[in-house]
């Protein structure tokens, strides 16, 4: 797990400015697969760039390779020339993703590792190469980050008002048939994680669940105990991979994707949008689907 104070490269201060900011979690693109919804994704990105959004990478930026495929490839005993051809193809595919995400350079809070990636060597993968290009901290499998806001109160040097919240992000794991399966997994796990916002991808589902909590306030008010209310925001970050499509034969004959072959349920494609607004008493969190 990685821990960090989120500070995008485009900022010179130690915190975000005291104004609403937009965060766009992006993952499960699976560029290179036949079903990548490029048109839909480009519309989403256009809107997020207009909003000056900051981004979090949720993993699975390419479709090739899965964990089992990487194991088979490692044990295949390929000649060096064959291995080099595979690496060349992956670099070409990464160039395609770089072009898609080029306008977001320096605006990343971080990028998680997914399940689908290629290992060039022990330290370099398609995921780490993409993070390097986009000037994004590479977060591995899971990360906790703090997002801080501050404003000058006009009381002289060092007089600032500050607010912060915590964000936990994981590429995700597991599967489920129901539309709420990703949120169910998040809700069960949320009991073990003290975070204001929890993000998870992988299951190709979009969803949002505000989970109310209450307890004793950390500090007394006028010497008296008081009740403190808090909301934990659970977000399933969605996917851009179309499971059902028409007229895209494979190997010279009509065939469906693995989603169609497995008779898996359709999912609501697209991303999510998180808006954070600092206030004197807290940071307001609003979550919506980035329908395109």
């Amino acid at each position: 797990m990685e821990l960090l104070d989120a500070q995008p490269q485009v900022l010179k201060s130690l915190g975000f400015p005291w104004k609403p900011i937009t965060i766009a979690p992006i993952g499960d693109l699976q560029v290179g697969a036949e079903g990548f919804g490029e048109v839909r994704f480009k519309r989403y990105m256009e809107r997020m760039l207009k909003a000056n959004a900051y981004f979090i990478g949720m993993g699975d930026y390419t479709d090739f390779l899965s964990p089992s495929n990487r194991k088979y490839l490692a044990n295949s005993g390929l000649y060096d020339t064959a291995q080099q051809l595979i690496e060349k193809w992956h670099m070409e595919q990464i160039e395609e993703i770089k072009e898609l995400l080029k306008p977001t350079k320096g605006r990343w809070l971080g990028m998680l590792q997914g399940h689908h990636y290629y290992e060039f060597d022990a330290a370099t993968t398609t995921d780490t190469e993409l993070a390097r290009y986009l000037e994004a901290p590479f977060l591995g499998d899971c990360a906790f980050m703090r997002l801080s806001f501050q404003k000058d109160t006009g009381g002289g040097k060092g007089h600032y008002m500050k607010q912060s919240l915590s964000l936990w992000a994981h590429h995700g794991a597991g599967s489920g048939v129901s539309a709420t399966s990703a949120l169910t997994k998040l809700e069960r796990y949320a009991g073990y994680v003290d975070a204001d916002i929890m993000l998870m991808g992988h299951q190709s589902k979009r969803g949002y669940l505000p989970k109310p909590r209450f307890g004793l306030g950390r500090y007394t008010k006028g010497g008296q105990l008081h009740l403190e209310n808090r909301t934990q925001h659970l977000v399933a970050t969605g996917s851009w991979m179309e499971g059902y499509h028409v007229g895209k034969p494979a190997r010279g004959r009509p065939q469906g994707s693995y989603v169609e072959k497995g008779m898996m349920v359709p999912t609501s494609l697209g991303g999510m949008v998180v808006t954070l607004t600092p206030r004197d008493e807290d940071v307001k969190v609003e979550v919506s689907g980035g329908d395109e």
Side-chain angles (χ1 to χ4, degrees):
M1 180 184 294
E2 297 299 307
L3 306 176
L4 71 157
D5 279 318
Q7 297 173 28
Q9 298 294 320
V10 294
L11 295 179
K12 294 182 180 180
S13 67
L14 295 178
F16 290 95
W18 197 270
K19 61 181 181 181
I21 66 167
T22 299
I23 295 177
I26 293 176
D28 297 282
L29 301 176
Q30 295 180 279
V31 175
E34 197 67 56
F36 169 49
E38 184 172 355
V39 173
R40 185 194 302 266
F41 180 68
K42 284 182 174 179
R43 285 199 299 259
Y44 172 84
M45 287 301 296
E46 183 179 357
R47 190 155 67 89
M48 293 302 98
L49 290 168
K50 283 183 179 179
N52 291 317
Y54 298 99
F55 300 90
I56 298 178
M58 299 300 297
D60 282 7
Y61 315 105
T62 67
D63 188 53
F64 188 88
L65 297 156
S66 69
S68 59
N69 288 163
R70 285 195 301 276
K71 182 178 178 180
Y72 296 146
L73 184 62
N75 295 326
S76 63
L78 291 175
Y79 288 156
D80 289 346
T81 51
Q83 194 74 35
Q84 289 165 5
L85 282 172
I86 292 173
E87 291 191 3
K88 181 181 178 182
W89 181 85
H90 274 94
M91 288 306 298
E92 290 174 354
Q93 190 177 63
I94 282 294
E95 290 303 316
E96 181 182 347
I97 304 175
K98 286 179 179 178
E99 191 61 31
L100 277 172
L101 300 178
K102 185 177 181 180
T104 69
K105 261 190 176 184
R107 301 196 66 87
W108 291 79
L109 305 182
M111 299 189 77
L112 293 165
Q113 176 172 272
H115 290 128
H116 293 251
Y117 58 85
Y118 178 77
E119 291 179 302
F120 295 105
D121 54 49
T124 309
T125 70
T126 46
D127 286 357
T128 63
E129 171 60 21
L130 187 60
R132 182 200 62 77
Y133 173 78
L134 294 171
E135 300 171 7
F138 185 66
L139 304 178
D141 297 308
C142 179
F144 240 123
M145 62 182 72
R146 179 174 60 188
L147 296 95
S148 302
F149 298 82
Q150 66 177 25
K151 70 174 178 179
D152 191 338
T153 58
K157 185 177 180 180
H159 287 260
Y160 295 98
M161 176 174 286
K162 297 182 179 181
Q163 286 290 356
S164 67
L165 50 69
S166 57
L167 184 150
W168 175 93
H170 195 293
H171 169 64
S175 62
V177 174
S178 73
T180 60
S181 62
L183 289 175
T184 299
K185 185 173 184 68
L186 265 178
E187 186 177 16
R188 288 172 179 166
Y189 198 73
Y192 303 95
V193 181
D194 186 16
D196 297 303
I197 302 172
M198 296 183 66
L199 305 178
M200 190 188 84
H202 178 67
Q203 290 199 24
S204 299
K205 296 178 175 68
R206 289 192 304 168
Y208 168 56
L209 175 66
K211 190 174 177 63
R213 289 181 161 187
F214 64 91
L216 288 177
R218 294 183 182 180
Y219 308 102
T220 60
K221 290 185 176 180
Q224 299 296 316
L225 294 174
H226 70 283
L227 196 63
E228 188 174 78
N229 294 297
R230 177 182 169 195
T231 300
Q232 194 173 34
H233 304 270
L234 312 182
V235 185
T237 57
S239 168
W240 304 91
M241 178 71 172
E242 298 171 355
Y244 289 86
H245 41 76
V246 177
K248 294 184 178 180
R251 302 178 69 182
R253 64 181 187 275
Q255 291 190 64
S257 68
Y258 72 90
V259 174
E260 191 172 334
K261 291 180 190 297
M263 212 169 83
M264 299 178 184
V265 298
T267 60
S268 176
L269 297 180
M272 299 294 284
V273 182
V274 180
T275 303
L276 307 178
T277 304
R279 303 184 292 192
D280 290 353
E281 66 277 10
D282 60 13
V283 179
K284 181 181 179 182
V285 179
E286 298 174 282
V287 182
S288 62
D291 296 299
E292 302 305 323

